[in-house]
Amino acid sequence: KMRGALTKTRQALGTDIRDLFKADGRLVDDEFLKDLFERLIKTDMGVSPAEEIRDQIAKKHRARVVQLEEVLESITEQITEMLAQDSTDLAVAGEGPTVILVVGVNGSGKTTSIGKLASYLHRSGKKVVLGAGDTFRAAAVEQLTVWAGRIGCDIVTGQHEADPASVAFQTVDKAIEIGADIAIIDTAGRLQTQSNLMQQLDKIRRVIGKKIEDAPHEVLLVLDATAGQNAISQASGFSDVAQCSGIVLAKLDGSAKGGVILPIQKQFGLPVKFVGLGEGIEDLAKFDPEPFAKALFQ
Ligand code: GDP
């Protein structure tokens, strides 16, 4: 699935390293290293990772004829290492339901990612409750309600323009009442100012914390992979105020620049926990660096 999702990155940009090789291999000289660097950079991974990979290949293989497999293996290894993160597991509450807040700019894929995450957890045997905290967007509430119906899980919705914190409070209440394992709470995707956003998130934290002391246990930031490098600046406002604990990189399948995950991880200093690989209910995967690194170039 990961390979399929990164087809665009490989095709649109010709990052397939295979093209650089003849059947009997290729001499590692300046020209090859330049070609390789170009393909690396096209994925949007950023200049310094691409330089690092190129230099490593040069160090290992310069003036030798190498086979495609050796080079791919080396690249995969390096990218896997660059993307290595402590853990992509979701935090789990010591006691009572685990509370996950989801933040992100409108259009990033937030609602869809919540639906897919809920389905993923539901399929792994967890009892999930959704909270439609983006109360200013009727479409988001409707969309989330449809997801809840498809999954067969509970959802808490408020009145239009109700205080998102009250929806969050009720969601946690519901989760405790029915003995749910996990509450996933949507938040507003558009607020006029950062201080506005901060106030809202602070309030949500406060009211949830009254119910469960160490909640929220996760604050996931949804980023749109198709926005390329723009995703970084677009979302930095959210991560500044939201005290995020992890990233969901949505629409990786729609992106021609899948390598953007490297600069994203670096800039935010947060683990990428999940990636969106399509619009379907099962199109969310726990992020795993190795298959990702492989799929980027072959
Ligand atoms: P929100 O405004 O942030 O809640 O965004 P939505 O969840 O409504 O998503 C915006 C659009 O992106 C919708 O058309 C989704 O179907 C689509 N979308 C979300 N995640 C993915 C994904 O991983 N892959 C693809 N191809 N489309 C996605």
Side-chain angles (χ1 to χ4, degrees):
K1 213 161 207 184
M2 182 66 88
R3 193 169 181 281
L6 288 170
T7 303
K8 276 214 174 118
T9 296
R10 287 190 311 274
Q11 286 178 349
L13 298 165
T15 56
D16 197 330
I17 306 282
R18 247 180 299 237
D19 302 346
L20 300 179
F21 285 80
K22 299 226 170 66
D24 52 354
R26 172 123 184 222
L27 176 69
V28 177
D29 55 7
D30 285 346
E31 194 197 335
F32 171 74
L33 292 168
K34 187 170 151 274
D35 287 349
L36 181 66
F37 180 75
E38 269 169 17
R39 295 200 177 215
L40 295 169
I41 209 80
K42 278 179 181 171
T43 65
D44 250 20
M45 67 165 59
V47 173
S48 75
E51 282 175 345
E52 209 179 299
I53 292 169
R54 179 198 60 195
D55 295 348
Q56 189 67 22
I57 300 275
K59 202 170 129 199
K60 267 197 196 158
H61 303 293
R62 188 181 275 284
R64 274 186 53 212
V65 172
V66 288
Q67 303 302 320
L68 168 70
E69 288 70 28
E70 292 176 81
V71 171
L72 283 177
E73 200 178 304
S74 186
I75 295 174
T76 305
E77 234 170 62
Q78 282 189 73
I79 294 180
T80 304
E81 213 170 279
M82 286 172 185
L83 287 172
Q85 14 185 40
D86 292 342
S87 172
T88 55
D89 291 342
L90 287 172
V92 179
E95 208 179 311
T98 298
V99 180
I100 303 175
L101 283 188
V102 184
V103 303
V105 180
N106 281 346
S108 60
K110 186 160 58 79
T111 313
T112 309
S113 297
I114 293 172
K116 290 190 288 190
L117 180 61
S119 165
Y120 171 90
L121 294 166
H122 179 82
R123 276 180 278 130
S124 65
K126 305 287 186 210
K127 192 167 184 177
V128 183
V129 179
L130 297 180
D134 194 352
T135 54
F136 287 83
R137 235 175 15 136
V141 178
E142 275 166 30
Q143 208 182 325
L144 216 54
T145 305
V146 171
W147 279 105
R150 285 167 75 183
I151 297 160
C153 69
D154 279 294
I155 180 164
V156 174
T157 59
Q159 299 288 332
H160 182 57
E161 297 192 7
D163 185 348
S166 85
V167 174
F169 186 81
Q170 287 168 44
T171 307
V172 174
D173 227 15
K174 180 85 179 176
I176 294 169
E177 180 198 319
I178 66 170
D181 301 294
I182 298 169
I184 309 177
I185 301 170
D186 195 7
T187 60
R190 187 174 65 94
L191 286 171
Q192 262 68 34
T193 63
Q194 286 228 349
S195 71
N196 224 319
L197 177 67
M198 200 177 325
Q199 272 171 15
Q200 187 187 100
L201 290 170
D202 276 349
K203 190 168 177 196
I204 290 175
R205 280 175 185 280
R206 229 175 24 247
V207 302
I208 295 174
K210 276 191 195 146
K211 283 270 162 200
I212 301 173
E213 208 180 326
D214 57 346
H217 307 90
E218 287 275 3
V219 181
L220 297 178
L221 172 67
V222 179
L223 295 180
D224 179 348
T226 63
Q229 297 272 11
N230 287 339
I232 296 175
S233 49
Q234 181 200 49
S236 61
F238 273 81
S239 82
D240 286 348
V241 300
Q243 297 166 262
C244 299
S245 54
I247 289 171
V248 178
L249 189 59
K251 310 186 204 176
L252 198 55
D253 57 303
S255 172
K257 304 199 162 196
V260 75
I261 200 164
L262 278 101
I264 282 176
Q265 219 183 44
K266 195 163 161 204
Q267 155 126 14
F268 288 93
L270 292 171
V272 175
K273 298 207 168 188
F274 290 92
V275 286
L277 304 176
E279 294 180 283
I281 198 158
E282 293 191 8
D283 293 335
L284 183 85
K286 254 187 100 164
F287 178 62
D288 188 354
E290 195 180 339
F292 173 84
K294 276 194 177 144
L296 212 44
F297 297 106
Q298 46 179 317

